[in-house]
Amino acid sequence: MRNLCYIIILLSVVFCSDVIAQRKTKVPVKKAKEPVVEVVDPRIEQMTLSTQKVIVIDSIVTSAENMVDKLLLSNETGSIMSSEKFFRKKEYDSLYVFTNGLGDKCFFPQKDRKGKLSLYTMDKLGKNWSKASKVEITDIDENIDTINYPFLTSDGTTLFFAAKGKGSIGKYDIFMTTFDFGKGLFRKPENIGMPFNSTANDYMYAIDELNNLGWFVSDRNQPKGMVCIYIFIPQQMRMTYENDNITEEQLKKLSVIHSIKDTWHSMNDIEKAKQRLRNVGKTTTKNTDEKTFDFVVNDIITYHRFRDFASQENAKAYMNVIAMKQQVSDINSALEKAYNYYRTAKPADKSMLKDEILSQEKETEAIEVKIKNEEKRIRAEELRLRKMNN
């Protein structure tokens, strides 16, 4: 009997254990949440380390549709307007046209044969614009899918635009390319980096050389439909914070322009720039048809105006010569600063500067040869045409 009771008790314990085990299996087991790993684009980290040292003197928040009206560029710099206004066609909404200071050349986005937005240009011949031609840019299709917001510097050598594609870290990024006079096309575009670019839309970059002011537009940290226009002091040489004694957190803030006051280094430079900003629009520019150059054709004849040329093609060609001369002047100015900086630079910076200096010196030599040959060709052609007309 005792054994029977023992067996009954044992069976009860086993039965209860089975029931409890079965009940436990019915309770849903919550899966542990997998940790969320934030994927950081390595290019952003690299761009942060290479953030350009730039002084942002002011910023303006406005609607995206009114941003062009807030860009106070001098007449010599050129003008920016919507493609809808320029071409008087509604289908060109949200596209923009840049026209140079002389008013005889413009750049604008337009769909190519593949249906993507590419950059086109036109020249003004008399009162009429020429047929649009696609701007030739080296390896443009490699990292860029969509182009908009073009701007050409007054010397006609440096082209800025905003673009989307593999080369962008956000949506629209600002890119830069320079004209290769030897090959007759623009070089491979480069992303100009931070703080000008971010993971938001960054576009409408312009440099007013007459007033030494720069402008770029971004919708970072802005509600939909609004943008912020940043006004900065352009630098002839690209400078970074690499040799500055700042923390990683400070560098991150500078890379996204957390506060424009963080970029202020010289209050004297800022006050002068703000005064130039107040004077924009008040500056009088010279008439482009007045005496602006001295082009010696022979011992008797010297041209002073573009209208002096016997052919419009030669006048256009000499405009390019003037642009090349300006480029040489700009490079020499930058080289002078590079030479001075090289004397006190750290060994790592000297190595980088040395390669850049040698490259710029070679480019200057090549441009000067191009100028000499082009002037010789124009001179001979002008004398031939004048002889025919007499």
Side-chain angles (χ1 to χ4, degrees), residues 62-75:
T62 184
S63 64
E65 61 182 1
N66 292 327
M67 63 181 172
V68 172
D69 298 331
K70 303 294 182 180
L71 299 176
L72 305 178
L73 304 178
S74 63
N75 293 332

Side-chain angles (χ1 to χ4, degrees), residues 1-13:
M1 186 69 179
R2 184 182 296 174
N3 291 338
L4 181 60
C5 291
Y6 177 79
I7 292 170
I8 291 171
I9 292 170
L10 183 60
L11 288 172
S12 299
V13 171

Side-chain angles (χ1 to χ4, degrees), residues 47 50 52 169 174 190-198 238:
M47 283 188 185
S50 304
Q52 291 188 51
I169 60 170
I174 300 166
E190 295 181 2
N191 188 309
I192 67 172
M194 295 177 172
F196 304 106
N197 288 323
S198 67
R238 179 191 172 96

Side-chain angles (χ1 to χ4, degrees), residues 183-215:
K183 295 181 179 179
L185 75 169
F186 284 94
R187 297 180 175 87
K188 183 177 179 178
E190 295 181 2
N191 188 309
I192 67 172
M194 295 177 172
F196 304 106
N197 288 323
S198 67
T199 54
N201 282 306
D202 305 287
Y203 33 62
M204 201 60 82
Y205 183 101
I207 299 292
D208 185 338
E209 294 179 16
L210 181 68
N211 294 295
N212 194 31
L213 294 171
W215 310 70

